[in-house]
């Protein structure tokens, strides 16, 4: 009997402790956010007619590969760089969602290959995605070579290998891009990498052509890039340069990259740009995808003082992805009943929550999504609901409204911190008439993804030394 009393006392103490944690992360009062319907719809109309921007990008300071100086470069959403050919916003959104599904499949494929230690099949017989809209949601203007030639490059936190389309490259072996294809013969800083170099050994998929290192990257949507692995000088504006960056010179590239000249990998692997410049931290702020404004990508800059901090976790099986210690959600300041184990990163590398700049719509395991969605529906009962759209099953009719008050949605992180999302970061337009949908989606995978819609207008900072992620709203 005495031991039973001790167990009951321990359970009661644990319950009180858990309640205290919840009370520190969520408000005791019901909370709402204001969605500026008119402003968001005007952006949706404007993006259809916007002319591509001509940008001269200037970095904040010069760096070299062994320094820890800070530098920055602007980021632009793809539809401000490559003029959309879509006739209306519905068509534009459908093309975005198609790219997004391909992106999610690519990330899951990469993780599955790592967990099962399977290498991609040889790409001598190309498998090309049928989508032609182009991949990548945020781009920057980066100089490649000496003297530098400027190219639009996709930034990607879910990839490690930097690469660019490279001559010689026939029409059948390269996709269409807006800039001229990079010609290594015109650069004095171009150097081939040998098969025995550290950079070559760091590739997941490497080969040799004589003594020259060959790289090969395939993506889960059927896209791929193959070519020589080399070093080049990258330039950021008129002053900042990074010599001897390992980069793929792609002679055979197909799939979802139309428009961009190549990709800058910001993942956690050994050959990503972040690792090659020995960055102690990096951060980005992504503007709304319908905005003509620019955000920024920064290296070694200080965290904003008002950042909401969360643990940065590491997957023992894959060092590319950035995992964050998410434990749940609140809606209207009230915690959603989701077991924290749903978001846990397992010792085998399964599960967990990654922060990804290339995925648009956040994906949650079905159990977590249903709980979050049902909670939002419950507290949004006064809003006029309408039929679903594409992957969205919770939509509302805000036509005729200038603004609307909606329940606040918040991320809850381990360590007792919460991040309130702006209303436009979880209610997105699906047409130009006033239909908005709840911007989360379910997945049968155990991997959760925080997408760029939820990250809009938020400075997301990665402290690579102290293993922290910071979120600071309105820091573009």
């Amino acid at each position: 009997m005495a031991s039973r009393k001790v167990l009951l006392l321990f359970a009661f103490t644990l319950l009180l402790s858990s309640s205290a944690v919840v009370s520190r992360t969520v408000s005791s009062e019901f909370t709402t956010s204001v969605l500026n319907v008119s402003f968001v719809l005007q952006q949706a109309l404007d993006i259809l007619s916007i002319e591509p921007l001509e940008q001269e990008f200037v970095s904040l300071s010069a760096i070299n590969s062994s320094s820890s100086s800070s530098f920055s470069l602007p980021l632009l959403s793809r539809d401000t760089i490559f003029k959309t050919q879509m006739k209306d916003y519905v068509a534009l959104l459908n093309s975005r969602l198609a790219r997004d599904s391909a992106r999610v499949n690519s990330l899951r494929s990469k993780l599955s290959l790592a967990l099962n230690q399977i290498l991609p099949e040889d790409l001598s017989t190309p498998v090309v995605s049928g989508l032609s809209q182009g991949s990548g949601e945020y781009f920057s203007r980066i100089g490649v070579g000496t003297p530098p030639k400027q190219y639009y490059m996709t930034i990607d936190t879910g990839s490690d290998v930097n690469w660019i389309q490279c001559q010689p490259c026939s029409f059948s072996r390269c996709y269409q891009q807006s800039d001229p294809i990079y010609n290594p013969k015109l650069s004095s800083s171009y150097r081939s990498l040998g098969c025995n170099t550290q950079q070559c050994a760091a590739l997941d998929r490497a080969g040799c052509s004589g003594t020259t290192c060959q790289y090969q990257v395939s993506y889960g949507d059927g896209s791929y890039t193959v070519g020589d692995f080399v070093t080049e000088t990258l330039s950021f504006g008129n002053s900042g340069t990074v010599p001897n960056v390992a980069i793929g010179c792609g002679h055979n590239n197909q799939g979802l990259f139309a428009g961009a000249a190549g990709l800058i990998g910001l993942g956690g692997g050994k050959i990503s740009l972040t690792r090659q410049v020995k960055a102690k931290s990096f951060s980005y702020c992504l503007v709304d995808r319908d905005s003509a404004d620019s955000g920024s990508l920064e290296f070694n800059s200080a965290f904003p003082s008002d950042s909401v901090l969360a643990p940065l976790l590491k997957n023992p099986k894959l060092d590319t992805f950035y995992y964050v210690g998410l434990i749940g959600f609140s809606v209207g300041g009230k915690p959603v009943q989701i077991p924290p184990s749903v978001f846990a990163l397992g010792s085998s590398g399964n599960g967990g929550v990654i922060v990804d700049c290339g995925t648009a719509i956040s994906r949650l395991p079905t159990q977590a999504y249903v709980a979050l969605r049902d909670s939002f529906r419950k507290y949004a009962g006064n809003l006029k609901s309408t039929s679903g759209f594409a992957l969205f099953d919770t939509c509302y009719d805000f036509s005729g409204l200038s603004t609307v008050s909606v329940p606040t949605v918040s991320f809850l992180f381990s360590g007792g911190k919460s991040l309130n999302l702006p209303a436009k970061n979880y209610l997105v337009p699906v047409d130009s008439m006033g239909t908005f949908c709840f911007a989360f989606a379910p997945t049968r995978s155990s991997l959760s993804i925080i997408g760029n819609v939820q990250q809009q207008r938020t400075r997301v900072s990665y402290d690579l030394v102290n293993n922290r992620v910071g979120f600071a709203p309105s820091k573009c």
Side-chain angles (χ1 to χ4, degrees), residues 112-183:
S112 178
L113 292 173
L115 296 185
N116 295 288
Q117 297 183 331
I118 300 173
L119 288 175
E121 295 181 2
D122 182 75
L123 295 178
S124 58
T125 303
V127 179
V128 184
S129 170
L131 297 174
S132 60
Q133 297 96 335
S135 184
E137 299 302 324
Y138 291 91
F139 297 76
S140 191
R141 195 77 168 154
I142 293 175
V144 180
T146 305
K149 302 292 184 181
Q150 299 295 312
Y151 300 92
Y152 281 119
M153 305 282 278
T154 300
I155 67 158
D156 188 359
T157 53
S159 299
D160 294 323
V161 180
N162 311 292
W163 60 268
I164 188 170
Q165 289 205 116
C166 193
Q167 293 186 15
C169 196
S170 66
F171 177 78
S172 62
R173 289 183 172 270
C174 280
Y175 59 83
Q176 185 177 2
Q177 65 180 57
S178 58
D179 297 305
I181 293 178
Y182 162 72
N183 186 350

XYZ file of all heavy atoms in Angstrom, residues 112-183:
557
model
N 14.803 8.268 -47.217
C 14.646 6.820 -47.319
C 15.936 6.163 -47.797
O 16.352 5.121 -47.269
C 13.500 6.494 -48.278
O 13.359 5.097 -48.430
N 16.589 6.766 -48.771
C 17.852 6.221 -49.269
C 18.912 6.208 -48.174
O 19.688 5.260 -48.051
C 18.335 7.029 -50.465
C 17.507 6.931 -51.755
C 18.018 7.928 -52.783
C 17.544 5.519 -52.314
N 18.938 7.280 -47.372
C 19.933 7.367 -46.299
C 19.652 6.333 -45.203
O 20.580 5.685 -44.696
C 19.928 8.770 -45.706
N 18.385 6.179 -44.841
C 18.041 5.251 -43.760
C 18.282 3.800 -44.163
O 18.644 2.969 -43.340
C 16.580 5.437 -43.346
C 16.203 6.795 -42.748
C 14.757 6.796 -42.283
C 17.118 7.157 -41.591
N 18.060 3.517 -45.446
C 18.222 2.146 -45.927
C 19.568 1.912 -46.578
O 19.830 0.831 -47.094
C 17.102 1.809 -46.918
C 15.736 1.799 -46.246
O 15.424 0.895 -45.480
N 14.933 2.805 -46.532
N 20.410 2.981 -46.590
C 21.756 2.916 -47.151
C 21.737 2.377 -48.582
O 22.513 1.497 -48.967
C 22.667 2.069 -46.270
C 22.861 2.657 -44.867
C 23.816 1.868 -44.014
O 23.965 0.655 -44.163
N 24.477 2.543 -43.111
N 20.822 2.947 -49.373
C 20.688 2.565 -50.778
C 21.191 3.715 -51.633
O 20.808 4.862 -51.436
C 19.216 2.260 -51.129
C 18.694 1.103 -50.254
C 19.072 1.932 -52.608
C 17.211 0.860 -50.424
N 22.025 3.422 -52.594
C 22.495 4.439 -53.521
C 21.524 4.533 -54.700
O 20.917 3.543 -55.102
C 23.894 4.092 -54.041
C 25.029 4.237 -53.033
C 26.327 3.746 -53.659
C 25.181 5.677 -52.580
N 21.378 5.738 -55.273
C 20.513 5.865 -56.450
C 21.022 5.006 -57.597
O 22.207 4.720 -57.704
C 20.610 7.353 -56.804
C 21.229 8.017 -55.633
C 22.023 6.991 -54.902
N 20.107 4.597 -58.457
C 20.505 3.830 -59.632
C 21.314 4.709 -60.574
O 21.224 5.916 -60.573
C 19.265 3.305 -60.357
C 18.468 2.294 -59.535
C 17.273 1.777 -60.302
O 17.112 2.186 -61.462
O 16.533 0.970 -59.737
N 22.122 4.051 -61.414
C 22.902 4.795 -62.404
C 21.965 5.560 -63.333
O 20.886 5.075 -63.699
C 23.746 3.818 -63.223
C 24.607 4.549 -64.217
O 25.608 5.150 -63.793
O 24.263 4.516 -65.412
N 22.374 6.761 -63.695
C 21.490 7.641 -64.447
C 21.810 7.653 -65.941
O 21.516 8.606 -66.634
C 21.571 9.059 -63.887
C 21.067 9.200 -62.461
C 21.245 10.638 -61.990
C 19.607 8.800 -62.360
N 22.415 6.586 -66.452
C 22.724 6.568 -67.869
C 21.456 6.558 -68.707
O 21.445 7.000 -69.849
C 23.584 5.340 -68.208
O 22.899 4.151 -67.830
N 20.364 6.039 -68.137
C 19.057 6.124 -68.783
C 18.224 7.119 -67.999
O 17.733 6.802 -66.916
C 18.351 4.757 -68.801
O 19.189 3.818 -69.468
C 17.018 4.848 -69.515
N 18.078 8.342 -68.503
C 17.413 9.396 -67.723
C 15.968 9.066 -67.404
O 15.248 8.464 -68.201
C 17.504 10.622 -68.645
C 18.636 10.324 -69.574
C 18.600 8.843 -69.771
N 15.550 9.432 -66.203
C 14.146 9.365 -65.795
C 13.745 10.799 -65.485
O 14.164 11.373 -64.483
C 13.959 8.479 -64.545
C 12.506 8.445 -64.136
C 14.478 7.078 -64.812
N 12.968 11.403 -66.353
C 12.691 12.830 -66.269
C 11.265 13.068 -65.821
O 10.336 12.430 -66.310
C 12.924 13.517 -67.634
C 12.732 15.011 -67.523
C 14.320 13.204 -68.138
N 11.084 13.967 -64.868
C 9.740 14.326 -64.436
C 8.977 14.955 -65.582
O 9.529 15.671 -66.414
C 9.819 15.310 -63.269
O 8.544 15.838 -62.992
N 7.678 14.712 -65.620
C 6.844 15.301 -66.647
C 6.514 16.753 -66.390
O 5.981 17.433 -67.262
N 6.795 17.257 -65.199
C 6.499 18.648 -64.887
C 7.528 19.559 -65.544
O 8.712 19.235 -65.609
C 6.519 18.873 -63.370
C 5.461 18.104 -62.579
C 5.694 18.299 -61.099
C 4.070 18.564 -62.957
N 7.086 20.696 -66.020
C 8.004 21.596 -66.717
C 7.962 23.012 -66.168
O 8.519 23.920 -66.747
C 7.658 21.624 -68.209
O 6.323 22.085 -68.394
N 7.280 23.201 -65.029
C 7.142 24.568 -64.524
C 8.431 25.096 -63.915
O 8.639 26.285 -63.796
C 6.037 24.640 -63.448
C 4.659 24.296 -63.964
C 4.338 22.840 -63.698
O 5.227 22.012 -63.570
N 3.069 22.520 -63.630
N 9.288 24.213 -63.474
C 10.532 24.660 -62.859
C 10.495 24.536 -61.352
O 9.463 24.690 -60.727
N 11.632 24.211 -60.750
C 11.701 24.007 -59.313
C 12.378 25.176 -58.634
O 12.956 26.042 -59.266
C 12.482 22.721 -59.015
O 12.481 22.445 -57.642
N 12.313 25.163 -57.319
C 12.935 26.229 -56.545
C 11.981 27.376 -56.348
O 11.339 27.837 -57.284
N 11.869 27.855 -55.131
C 10.936 28.934 -54.825
C 11.637 30.254 -54.537
O 11.053 31.316 -54.697
C 10.063 28.531 -53.635
C 9.227 27.289 -53.882
C 8.296 27.414 -55.081
O 7.764 28.512 -55.318
O 8.118 26.416 -55.797
N 12.909 30.205 -54.103
C 13.644 31.423 -53.780
C 15.025 31.379 -54.425
O 15.706 30.355 -54.426
C 13.751 31.596 -52.260
C 12.412 31.903 -51.643
C 11.581 30.884 -51.185
C 11.952 33.218 -51.556
C 10.330 31.165 -50.647
C 10.708 33.513 -51.010
C 9.909 32.475 -50.575
O 8.660 32.766 -50.045
N 15.422 32.527 -54.971
C 16.620 32.614 -55.787
C 17.478 33.800 -55.364
O 16.980 34.777 -54.798
C 16.245 32.815 -57.262
C 15.465 31.688 -57.858
C 14.121 31.522 -57.565
C 16.078 30.794 -58.719
C 13.396 30.482 -58.118
C 15.355 29.753 -59.282
C 14.013 29.600 -58.979
N 18.765 33.694 -55.687
C 19.649 34.833 -55.525
C 20.545 34.930 -56.750
O 20.704 33.967 -57.509
C 20.497 34.719 -54.265
O 21.146 35.948 -54.004
N 21.117 36.107 -56.938
C 22.014 36.369 -58.070
C 23.435 36.168 -57.578
O 23.907 36.886 -56.681
C 21.810 37.799 -58.549
C 22.381 38.104 -59.905
C 21.516 37.555 -60.993
N 21.892 38.085 -62.313
C 21.653 37.427 -63.435
N 21.072 36.250 -63.403
N 21.988 37.953 -64.588
N 24.129 35.204 -58.154
C 25.460 34.830 -57.673
C 26.430 34.790 -58.847
O 26.103 34.306 -59.935
C 25.409 33.466 -56.954
C 24.586 33.591 -55.667
C 26.814 32.949 -56.647
C 24.383 32.292 -54.943
N 27.635 35.313 -58.616
C 28.662 35.289 -59.634
C 29.450 33.990 -59.586
O 29.769 33.489 -58.508
N 29.760 33.452 -60.749
C 30.531 32.213 -60.833
C 31.702 32.440 -61.784
O 31.535 32.945 -62.894
C 29.665 31.040 -61.347
C 30.495 29.755 -61.425
C 28.449 30.831 -60.462
N 32.916 32.066 -61.322
C 34.096 32.152 -62.166
C 34.863 33.448 -62.025
O 34.495 34.340 -61.258
N 35.975 33.531 -62.787
C 36.831 34.723 -62.813
C 37.182 35.051 -64.269
O 37.832 34.242 -64.936
C 38.132 34.483 -62.019
O 37.812 34.060 -60.697
C 38.960 35.744 -61.966
N 36.754 36.195 -64.793
C 35.886 37.184 -64.148
C 34.488 36.608 -63.924
O 34.063 35.720 -64.668
C 35.860 38.329 -65.167
C 36.102 37.658 -66.484
C 37.070 36.548 -66.189
N 33.772 37.108 -62.904
C 32.480 36.497 -62.556
C 31.395 36.782 -63.580
O 31.295 37.880 -64.116
C 32.147 37.149 -61.212
C 32.862 38.453 -61.225
C 34.134 38.217 -61.993
N 30.602 35.761 -63.858
C 29.380 35.892 -64.638
C 28.212 35.659 -63.681
O 28.262 34.750 -62.840
C 29.338 34.861 -65.769
C 30.519 34.939 -66.732
C 30.499 36.219 -67.547
C 31.634 36.230 -68.569
N 31.671 37.479 -69.366
N 27.161 36.469 -63.811
C 26.052 36.426 -62.864
C 24.984 35.419 -63.292
O 24.611 35.349 -64.470
C 25.418 37.809 -62.734
C 26.375 38.891 -62.226
C 26.839 38.628 -60.801
O 26.037 38.349 -59.922
N 28.139 38.728 -60.585
N 24.498 34.653 -62.297
C 23.487 33.632 -62.560
C 22.439 33.631 -61.456
O 22.756 33.867 -60.282
C 24.126 32.235 -62.636
C 25.157 32.094 -63.721
C 26.506 32.338 -63.458
C 24.789 31.729 -65.013
C 27.456 32.221 -64.456
C 25.739 31.606 -66.018
C 27.070 31.858 -65.735
O 28.012 31.742 -66.733
N 21.197 33.332 -61.853
C 20.150 33.091 -60.861
C 20.283 31.663 -60.363
O 20.224 30.702 -61.145
C 18.759 33.299 -61.461
C 18.369 34.743 -61.575
C 18.093 35.314 -62.814
C 18.258 35.551 -60.438
C 17.724 36.646 -62.923
C 17.898 36.880 -60.539
C 17.628 37.424 -61.781
O 17.268 38.747 -61.877
N 20.472 31.517 -59.050
C 20.652 30.202 -58.436
C 19.585 29.974 -57.381
O 19.258 30.872 -56.592
C 22.037 30.110 -57.789
C 23.204 30.429 -58.722
S 23.617 29.089 -59.843
C 24.641 28.083 -58.759
N 19.052 28.761 -57.356
C 18.111 28.360 -56.312
C 18.874 28.142 -55.011
O 19.961 27.564 -55.016
C 17.424 27.037 -56.702
O 16.715 27.216 -57.917
C 16.471 26.585 -55.616
N 18.314 28.594 -53.884
C 18.887 28.240 -52.587
C 18.070 27.093 -52.007
O 16.854 27.048 -52.152
C 18.923 29.430 -51.610
C 17.522 29.865 -51.216
C 19.716 30.579 -52.200
C 17.475 30.621 -49.906
N 18.756 26.152 -51.358
C 18.077 24.929 -50.922
C 18.680 24.403 -49.624
O 19.831 23.960 -49.613
C 18.185 23.876 -52.021
C 17.350 22.638 -51.745
O 16.688 22.578 -50.695
O 17.353 21.730 -52.590
N 17.901 24.447 -48.540
C 18.368 23.907 -47.259
C 18.259 22.390 -47.213
O 18.736 21.769 -46.259
C 17.558 24.496 -46.093
O 16.153 24.297 -46.345
C 17.839 25.977 -45.910
N 17.650 21.779 -48.219
C 17.506 20.330 -48.250
C 18.524 19.638 -49.130
O 18.402 18.444 -49.401
N 19.555 20.379 -49.586
C 20.589 19.806 -50.462
C 21.975 20.251 -50.001
O 22.127 21.298 -49.368
C 20.378 20.252 -51.916
O 19.141 19.818 -52.415
N 22.967 19.462 -50.346
C 24.350 19.785 -50.003
C 25.190 20.165 -51.219
O 26.068 21.021 -51.130
C 25.020 18.598 -49.305
C 24.397 18.293 -47.955
O 24.022 19.237 -47.248
O 24.274 17.091 -47.622
N 24.951 19.524 -52.345
C 25.807 19.710 -53.516
C 25.441 21.003 -54.242
O 24.299 21.207 -54.651
C 25.695 18.521 -54.485
C 26.594 18.751 -55.702
C 26.071 17.217 -53.787
N 26.429 21.880 -54.410
C 26.268 23.072 -55.241
C 26.546 22.669 -56.685
O 27.489 21.910 -56.962
C 27.277 24.153 -54.829
C 27.293 24.399 -53.337
O 26.345 24.907 -52.768
N 28.386 24.021 -52.686
N 25.768 23.175 -57.628
C 26.025 22.829 -59.030
C 25.448 23.883 -59.964
O 24.582 24.670 -59.580
C 25.480 21.445 -59.378
C 24.000 21.262 -59.198
C 23.357 20.798 -58.092
C 22.969 21.528 -60.168
N 21.999 20.766 -58.301
C 21.729 21.208 -59.561
C 22.985 22.006 -61.477
C 20.516 21.350 -60.236
C 21.763 22.150 -62.149
C 20.552 21.819 -61.524
N 25.964 23.877 -61.194
C 25.512 24.814 -62.210
C 25.564 24.110 -63.564
O 26.427 23.252 -63.796
C 26.398 26.081 -62.219
C 25.812 27.156 -63.146
C 27.836 25.750 -62.597
C 26.508 28.504 -63.023
N 24.621 24.428 -64.452
C 24.684 23.887 -65.805
C 25.942 24.399 -66.500
O 26.290 25.571 -66.377
C 23.450 24.281 -66.611
C 22.190 23.577 -66.166
C 21.168 23.486 -67.284
O 20.843 22.387 -67.718
N 20.656 24.620 -67.754
N 26.590 23.512 -67.251
C 27.948 23.796 -67.686
C 28.168 23.330 -69.122
O 27.793 22.220 -69.487
C 28.871 23.028 -66.729
S 30.594 23.448 -66.768
N 28.769 24.187 -69.918
C 29.115 23.791 -71.287
C 30.288 22.813 -71.280
O 31.147 22.888 -70.395
C 29.477 25.034 -72.103
C 28.319 25.966 -72.354
C 28.702 27.102 -73.281
O 29.732 27.076 -73.954
N 27.874 28.142 -73.321
N 30.370 21.870 -72.229
C 29.404 21.645 -73.309
C 28.141 20.957 -72.777
O 28.214 20.081 -71.919
C 30.162 20.727 -74.266
C 31.118 19.994 -73.388
C 31.522 20.963 -72.312
N 27.012 21.397 -73.308
C 25.731 20.891 -72.837
C 24.717 21.044 -73.964
O 24.268 22.162 -74.242
C 25.286 21.678 -71.609
S 23.987 20.899 -70.658
N 24.374 19.960 -74.620
C 23.468 20.018 -75.758
C 22.041 20.269 -75.301
O 21.703 20.107 -74.120
C 23.527 18.706 -76.541
O 23.008 17.642 -75.763
N 21.204 20.669 -76.229
C 19.806 20.973 -75.919
C 19.102 19.783 -75.279
O 18.292 19.936 -74.379
C 19.073 21.395 -77.196
C 17.612 21.668 -76.983
C 17.191 22.862 -76.406
C 16.666 20.734 -77.349
C 15.840 23.113 -76.194
C 15.313 20.976 -77.146
C 14.896 22.174 -76.565
N 19.435 18.580 -75.735
C 18.768 17.386 -75.215
C 19.258 16.996 -73.829
O 18.609 16.209 -73.137
C 18.981 16.213 -76.179
O 20.365 15.908 -76.291
N 20.392 17.544 -73.426
C 20.955 17.164 -72.128
C 20.864 18.266 -71.076
O 21.225 18.043 -69.924
C 22.423 16.739 -72.292
C 22.580 15.412 -72.996
C 24.034 14.993 -73.085
N 24.174 13.636 -73.600
C 24.201 12.548 -72.842
N 24.094 12.656 -71.535
N 24.322 11.351 -73.384
N 20.422 19.447 -71.468
C 20.270 20.530 -70.498
C 18.896 21.162 -70.648
O 18.350 21.229 -71.747
C 21.359 21.594 -70.686
S 22.941 21.133 -69.951
N 18.344 21.618 -69.547
C 17.051 22.281 -69.570
C 17.243 23.765 -69.911
O 18.367 24.292 -69.892
C 16.347 22.117 -68.223
C 17.122 22.684 -67.057
C 17.060 24.043 -66.751
C 17.926 21.871 -66.266
C 17.786 24.574 -65.694
C 18.649 22.393 -65.206
C 18.574 23.746 -64.925
O 19.289 24.266 -63.883
N 16.153 24.442 -70.184
C 16.217 25.858 -70.541
C 16.392 26.714 -69.300
O 15.701 26.533 -68.296
C 14.938 26.273 -71.278
C 14.969 27.713 -71.786
C 13.712 28.062 -72.576
O 12.813 27.232 -72.701
N 13.661 29.273 -73.085
N 17.312 27.668 -69.341
C 17.512 28.608 -68.245
C 17.503 30.028 -68.782
O 17.672 30.260 -69.978
C 18.819 28.320 -67.501
C 20.083 28.530 -68.315
C 21.345 28.236 -67.522
O 21.526 27.142 -66.988
N 22.232 29.226 -67.442
N 17.314 30.988 -67.878
C 17.191 32.380 -68.319
C 18.544 33.010 -68.624
O 18.637 33.925 -69.449
C 16.460 33.202 -67.249
O 17.150 33.148 -66.020
N 19.606 32.565 -67.957
C 20.957 33.083 -68.204
C 21.697 32.195 -69.203
O 21.351 31.023 -69.375
C 21.756 33.110 -66.883
C 21.161 34.047 -65.855
O 20.979 35.231 -66.179
O 20.874 33.591 -64.727
N 22.734 32.738 -69.850
C 23.581 31.879 -70.698
C 24.215 30.775 -69.860
O 24.502 30.961 -68.675
C 24.644 32.847 -71.228
C 24.026 34.201 -71.112
C 23.148 34.151 -69.901
N 24.417 29.613 -70.454
C 25.022 28.500 -69.720
C 26.489 28.801 -69.429
O 27.221 29.292 -70.292
C 24.860 27.188 -70.511
C 23.382 26.809 -70.571
C 25.662 26.058 -69.873
C 23.096 25.558 -71.375
N 26.903 28.523 -68.216
C 28.269 28.786 -67.756
C 29.291 28.053 -68.629
O 29.141 26.854 -68.916
C 28.377 28.359 -66.296
C 29.773 28.149 -65.770
C 30.616 29.230 -65.527
C 30.237 26.864 -65.488
C 31.899 29.025 -65.031
C 31.502 26.655 -64.982
C 32.328 27.734 -64.773
O 33.596 27.533 -64.276
N 30.325 28.778 -69.034
C 31.382 28.217 -69.856
C 32.685 28.201 -69.066
O 33.298 29.247 -68.839
C 31.563 29.043 -71.134
C 32.562 28.422 -72.101
O 33.267 27.472 -71.771
N 32.626 28.962 -73.315
